[in-house]
Amino acid sequence: MLEIRHLETLVAIREGSSLVEASERLHVTQSALSHQLRELEERLGTQLLNRRTRPLRFTTAGLRVLALADDVLPRMRAAERELTRLAAGRTGRLHLAIECHSCFQWLMPALDVFREQWPEVVLDLSAAFSFAPLPALVRGDLDLVITSDPIKLDAVRYVPLFRYELVLAVARNSPLAALKSIEPAQLQDQTLITYPVDRDRLDIFTAFLDPADVEPAEIRTTELTPMIIQLVASGRGVTAIPNWALTEYLDQGLLHACRLGAEGVWRTLYAGVRVEDQDAPYIQNFLDIARELTFRNLTGIRAPRPER
């Protein structure tokens, strides 16, 4: 009566807290997801969700099926990975570069898990802040690039990992902290603290300030995220940073986060790989690990929109 897709559906609903979010994660329509859920409940003869609550709540029967999913799905994936290793061989090379300073937070745990599962794959990591990583990927110097700025190249395929919101971090006693959202003109008298990279690679400029033809009063740079946070918390300026990278600092009460514009600035993080390597089992496994850990551990991210 129960199928793997049913278990995956219930896990997606739990992690997304709504049918809309779950349908995005599973790349199906909300209507199709609702139909599948009703069909399963009819098969089992019991209700799995209380649809009248917000967020949705699982019934006792639903929680029992979730417990089954938490037991079965990891074991199935482990078996699939083992079969993949047996079929494809155990050796390979995965040289990565990242264009995201704050990505170390989720990438390092993903690499630790990958290293355990593929011990004979040669693994290397570079921070692509001082060189252009995509040409290096095409040349074969790199095997995977983490970026939010994909450039159309025939030799490269971009795999979406997750969507995140870029938010403005301000000191808690800043006048801006009283605002729910910020308009570009409100940064004209502010010191903007950024990482030391070209402004055409900074989303705060390309997606927010430049379209409005607005320039901050001053730009200050530093390489370390904790240093940027301390400068902002002490009232030395403001910074734009992914929402998930701010969670621990918001929990500590150091900062306040404001939305950039009424709708917010949402970006997608991609993994760029060479077309001929996109089906390599160990690369696919790394992408699976990265997705699993980010959605388990990061706050505020969303599933990528289905490609059209």
Side-chain angles (χ1 to χ4, degrees):
M1 296 174 67
L2 283 170
E3 302 175 15
I4 295 300
R5 63 189 179 97
H6 297 143
L7 302 182
E8 292 174 337
T9 294
L10 291 187
V11 169
I13 293 173
R14 178 183 62 188
E15 294 180 349
S17 300
S18 71
L19 294 183
V20 173
E21 190 74 17
S23 64
E24 289 184 359
R25 290 178 182 233
L26 295 170
H27 304 295
V28 298
T29 65
Q30 184 180 350
S31 175
L33 184 63
S34 298
H35 177 75
Q36 181 189 130
L37 187 59
R38 284 195 301 270
E39 180 188 37
L40 177 58
E41 289 177 328
E42 289 174 1
R43 285 193 194 184
L44 297 175
T46 186
Q47 189 175 356
L48 299 176
L49 283 178
N50 185 343
R51 294 169 175 79
R52 296 180 180 179
T53 61
R54 292 295 182 272
L56 297 173
R57 288 185 181 178
F58 287 91
T59 64
T60 300
L63 292 173
R64 179 62 187 88
V65 178
L66 272 176
L68 176 65
D70 290 337
D71 178 46
V72 170
L73 292 180
R75 292 165 60 187
M76 281 200 57
R77 289 168 184 153
E80 289 171 348
R81 287 192 293 265
E82 181 64 24
L83 291 172
T84 297
R85 286 197 292 266
L86 291 173
R90 302 178 60 89
T91 61
R93 189 195 78 166
L94 185 58
H95 287 189
L96 302 88
I98 59 173
E99 289 190 305
C100 167
H101 283 75
S102 50
C103 284
F104 286 105
Q105 180 177 336
W106 62 263
L107 182 60
M108 300 311 293
L111 291 177
D112 288 341
V113 173
F114 177 83
R115 189 178 291 108
E116 291 180 2
Q117 296 180 3
W118 295 86
E120 296 183 31
V121 171
V122 178
L123 190 61
D124 191 28
L125 174 63
S126 301
F129 308 138
S130 59
F131 69 96
L134 292 175
L137 176 64
V138 174
R139 290 195 305 268
D141 299 334
L142 296 172
D143 304 300
L144 189 147
V145 174
I146 304 294
T147 181
S148 60
D149 297 301
I151 299 174
K152 185 174 177 56
L153 297 167
D154 291 339
V156 176
R157 182 199 171 202
Y158 296 97
V159 181
L161 297 175
F162 59 84
R163 294 173 65 218
Y164 64 91
E165 184 177 8
L166 188 73
V167 296
L168 189 76
V170 303
R172 294 193 64 84
N173 60 356
S174 167
L176 297 178
L179 303 176
K180 185 176 180 180
S181 63
I182 302 294
E183 296 304 321
Q186 292 171 303
L187 298 186
Q188 290 183 125
D189 61 348
Q190 298 291 318
T191 296
L192 180 63
I193 305 173
T194 74
Y195 298 108
V197 298
D198 294 339
R199 61 184 290 158
D200 60 2
R201 295 168 65 185
L202 292 169
D203 295 334
I204 183 64
F205 287 108
T206 60
F208 190 65
L209 293 177
D210 289 349
D213 196 23
V214 170
E215 191 73 15
E218 183 181 352
I219 299 173
R220 180 173 179 175
T221 64
T222 184
E223 290 190 0
L224 302 177
T225 299
M227 180 64 72
I228 291 178
I229 297 302
Q230 289 299 323
L231 290 171
V232 173
S234 62
R236 306 291 184 86
V238 300
T239 191
I241 199 165
N243 54 351
W244 51 266
L246 274 181
T247 302
E248 63 176 297
Y249 304 110
L250 294 174
D251 290 344
Q252 295 170 19
L254 295 176
L255 304 168
H256 180 80
C258 301
R259 173 161 280 184
L260 293 171
E263 302 299 322
V265 173
W266 285 87
R267 304 286 285 163
T268 300
L269 199 67
Y270 296 89
V273 297
R274 285 185 300 278
V275 170
E276 62 267 25
D277 294 336
Q278 61 183 318
D279 294 325
Y282 60 90
I283 289 181
Q284 288 296 317
N285 188 214
F286 171 77
L287 297 176
D288 290 341
I289 292 169
R291 291 191 194 96
E292 180 179 349
L293 291 184
T294 52
F295 279 103
R296 182 192 306 171
N297 298 326
L298 301 185
T299 301
I301 65 172
R302 295 180 181 177
R305 289 173 175 166
E307 297 182 358
R308 298 179 178 177

